[in-house]
Amino acid sequence: MSREGALLVRAKQEKQELEDLAVFGGEPSLDDKLYVGRPNIGDRERLLERINDILDRRWLTNSGHYVQEFEQKIAEMAGTRHCIATCNGTVALELAIRALNMTGEVIVPSFTFIATAHALQWQEITPVFCDIDPRTHTLDPKQVERMITPRTTGIIAVHLWGRACNVDALEEIARSRGLTLMFDAAHAFGCTYRGRKIGSFGRAEVFSFHATKFFNTFEGGAITTNDDDLAAKLRLMKNFGFAGYDKVIYIGTNGKMSEVSAAMGLTSLESIDEFIGVNRGNHAQYGEELGGLRGVRLIPYDPDEQCNYQYLVLEIDEEETQISRDDLVQLLWAENVLARRYFYPGCHRMEPYRSYYPHAGLMLPVTERVAARVMLLPTGTAIGHADIRTICQILRFAVTHGADVTQMLRSSRPPGMVTR
Ligand code: T4K
């Protein structure tokens, strides 16, 4: 690009006056939308080779060559004896919950993707929403103890943002209270807890390889465990309970991963270091560009642990910024930066839980506070350094003029308008 071209782009991007913000009628800083969770894609040629091979073999699903290879690789990388690949993370959760005989009540965070709760409710098990630690955004072990009742059979803890839960404390509670502990590790493939790979904690751990995860199988998931009997049961359950042609020995469902998904997974795995490297670099750049911006905190990753850096999470302290998280999200959307409010408003405020337990929020003060402050920004291989610079410039401008932007939004917003 010529120097003049570069200056033009720069002029378009940098906001000087409030009216330059797209939310007030200015030109959006970005021509194309930037999404949270844009898929990372590995080597296309390699993927297409594999898909061609699948077609040549005429073996498309049902524990084919590629699914077996994928399961082996995941087990190796997670450091477990078994990996059972599934069609998605939600079905993997449902299978694990059922195979582990969870019943009655199971303690889960409310600050998670709705699938964690639904996987229980789907089987008529009551998700009991428990508060989180404000520092880690994961289950607070002290609160977990408070939520145990005679009906409690288990705990599903979530390694949110790929940052490990307080595994030791949870394992101790599960052991001493006779509860089954498993982990929703949907965000945490490639991450460690005290140097050990996530995958082998609790009775089982569940991964998601959905398109929006840092490495994906289009749709997909997996359960990892070191329990031989559990693994055997899960293999039956994900294939209708078939133990051979014409022989069903267990109740089951169809939770199988297809060959083409496994091919995508194997191809993605070959680029995993690159994906993590890009995410780590993006995280560092956001950190530098937003450094010192009052009221905006970038959630850090523990430098002593391995992490996939897939989630770029900000906490907005409205008292400091003078502009709310929701207003910032609205303003970014207008600029074509589709920031997200994961996991607002918390599962307990979504149906059917909101109707079942209208007062659950009373036990979840930290969840409610954090859910009102968190905002996720785009990262991954689909965005570049210039995009990050632009996003940070918009944020810096909006926060520096926080009170004025808020006032102007209030006077320009039609009554009843909400941000997504
Ligand atoms: N447990 C936890 C803690 C989870 O976070 C999840 C899933 C699960 C369990 C269940 O695992 P799965 O059954 O999904 O395997 C997304 C994902 O759909 C969901 O997988 C993920 N968590 C969650 C955190 O995010 P949504 O409802 O936010 O939006 P979605 O899927 O429409 O995509 C988000 C953005 O990504 C879009 O704005 C556009 C972009 N996108 C999406 C897709 C699918 C693309 O650019 N390309 C794509 O192909 O749930």
Side-chain angles (χ1 to χ4, degrees):
M1 188 191 287
S2 68
R3 190 164 176 278
E4 290 85 316
L7 282 175
L8 255 177
V9 170
R10 202 173 145 76
K12 180 183 166 187
Q13 287 174 349
E14 282 194 17
K15 308 290 179 186
Q16 310 288 339
E17 311 287 338
L18 294 192
E19 288 75 11
D20 294 340
L21 288 166
V23 76
F24 300 132
E27 203 180 337
S29 299
L30 293 145
D31 293 328
D32 296 321
K33 291 182 171 34
L34 296 182
Y35 294 90
V36 172
R38 206 82 169 132
N40 293 322
I41 313 277
D43 183 334
R44 278 168 203 244
E45 288 310 314
R46 200 63 197 99
L47 173 64
L48 295 175
E49 261 173 41
R50 285 183 163 122
I51 293 176
N52 266 325
D53 185 46
I54 289 169
L55 299 179
D56 289 343
R57 287 169 184 266
R58 288 181 190 262
W59 195 279
L60 308 186
T61 183
N62 292 23
S63 242
H65 169 84
Y66 285 96
V67 165
Q68 288 181 34
E69 189 183 336
F70 182 68
E71 288 183 333
Q72 244 171 37
K73 285 247 158 68
I74 295 292
E76 255 167 48
M77 293 174 78
T80 55
R81 274 211 297 284
H82 305 282
C83 164
I84 295 95
T86 58
C87 52
N88 60 53
T90 305
V91 167
L93 281 170
E94 289 168 6
L95 286 166
I97 288 163
R98 193 164 185 127
L100 285 167
N101 297 320
M102 287 184 170
T103 56
E105 293 176 1
V106 171
I107 296 171
V108 285
S110 170
F111 194 57
T112 177
F113 188 58
I114 195 70
T116 320
H118 277 356
L120 289 162
Q121 190 67 45
W122 193 251
Q123 319 191 54
E124 299 187 357
I125 300 168
T126 303
V128 172
F129 297 118
C130 178
D131 218 355
I132 51 170
D133 180 326
R135 217 172 23 88
T136 62
H137 295 183
T138 57
L139 274 184
D140 179 345
K142 280 199 202 75
Q143 299 301 323
V144 171
E145 301 226 51
R146 287 181 64 201
M147 306 309 279
I148 297 172
T149 75
R151 295 191 70 228
T152 311
T153 59
I155 304 166
I156 304 180
V158 182
H159 301 299
L160 204 78
W161 319 135
R163 300 194 309 172
C165 302
N166 188 340
V167 174
D168 287 347
L170 293 169
E171 281 186 336
E172 178 49 30
I173 294 171
R175 194 197 52 75
S176 64
R177 307 295 292 263
L179 302 176
T180 300
L181 175 66
M182 63 172 266
F183 291 91
D184 177 338
H187 299 182
F189 192 78
C191 305
T192 57
Y193 173 74
R194 303 210 162 162
R196 197 171 119 198
K197 277 275 158 58
I198 285 175
S200 60
F201 296 107
R203 296 284 308 282
E205 300 214 53
V206 167
F207 294 107
S208 164
F209 307 130
H210 180 258
T212 54
K213 297 293 180 282
F214 90 106
F215 99 83
N216 78 85
T217 58
F218 300 121
E219 286 273 4
I223 307 161
T224 53
T225 181
N226 283 323
D227 182 329
D228 300 343
D229 294 339
L230 180 66
K233 194 165 163 186
L234 285 164
R235 284 195 188 288
L236 285 173
M237 288 178 84
K238 77 155 183 182
N239 186 28
F240 313 99
F242 273 110
Y245 287 121
D246 315 323
K247 192 177 173 196
V248 171
I249 60 165
Y250 210 83
I251 184 166
T253 185
N254 183 352
K256 290 170 273 125
M257 175 179 276
S258 74
E259 285 289 273
V260 90
S261 281
M264 180 66 165
L266 287 165
T267 310
S268 302
L269 281 176
E270 286 160 3
S271 297
I272 204 169
D273 292 338
E274 180 206 328
F275 298 158
I276 294 175
V278 168
N279 280 347
R280 194 195 298 119
N282 289 348
H283 190 272
Q285 189 187 346
Y286 272 111
E288 274 164 32
E289 309 236 1
L290 295 175
L293 187 57
R294 62 162 203 265
V296 176
R297 188 173 92 91
L298 174 62
I299 297 294
Y301 289 100
D302 185 341
D304 296 331
E305 301 286 0
Q306 286 175 36
C307 201
N308 59 39
Y309 297 85
Q310 173 67 358
Y311 293 97
L312 201 299
V313 188
L314 298 184
E315 261 191 66
I316 308 299
D317 179 347
E318 187 180 344
E319 278 189 16
E320 300 244 358
T321 54
Q322 302 286 298
I323 177 166
S324 71
R325 183 276 311 268
D326 289 354
D327 285 344
L328 284 173
V329 169
Q330 184 190 1
L331 185 146
L332 286 168
W333 274 61
E335 304 289 347
N336 278 334
V337 179
L338 307 191
R340 297 294 303 268
R341 301 186 292 181
Y342 291 146
F343 285 105
Y344 177 82
C347 297
H348 69 289
R349 291 222 265 144
M350 293 192 178
E351 293 296 354
Y353 316 107
R354 178 194 169 98
S355 298
Y356 291 170
Y357 323 110
H359 305 300
L362 293 173
M363 299 294 281
L364 302 166
V366 180
T367 299
E368 299 230 319
R369 199 166 67 243
V370 171
R373 292 160 67 113
V374 161
M375 173 167 95
L376 279 84
L377 296 177
T379 182
T381 55
I383 70 164
H385 294 304
D387 297 321
I388 296 176
R389 193 165 314 124
T390 303
I391 296 169
C392 294
Q393 276 166 359
I394 302 166
L395 270 176
R396 193 168 278 282
F397 181 83
V399 170
T400 308
H401 301 89
D404 295 336
V405 175
T406 302
Q407 199 188 11
M408 203 155 149
L409 275 172
R410 292 293 163 274
S411 49
S412 65
R413 180 181 293 169
M417 182 173 167
V418 287
T419 52
R420 256 205 74 188

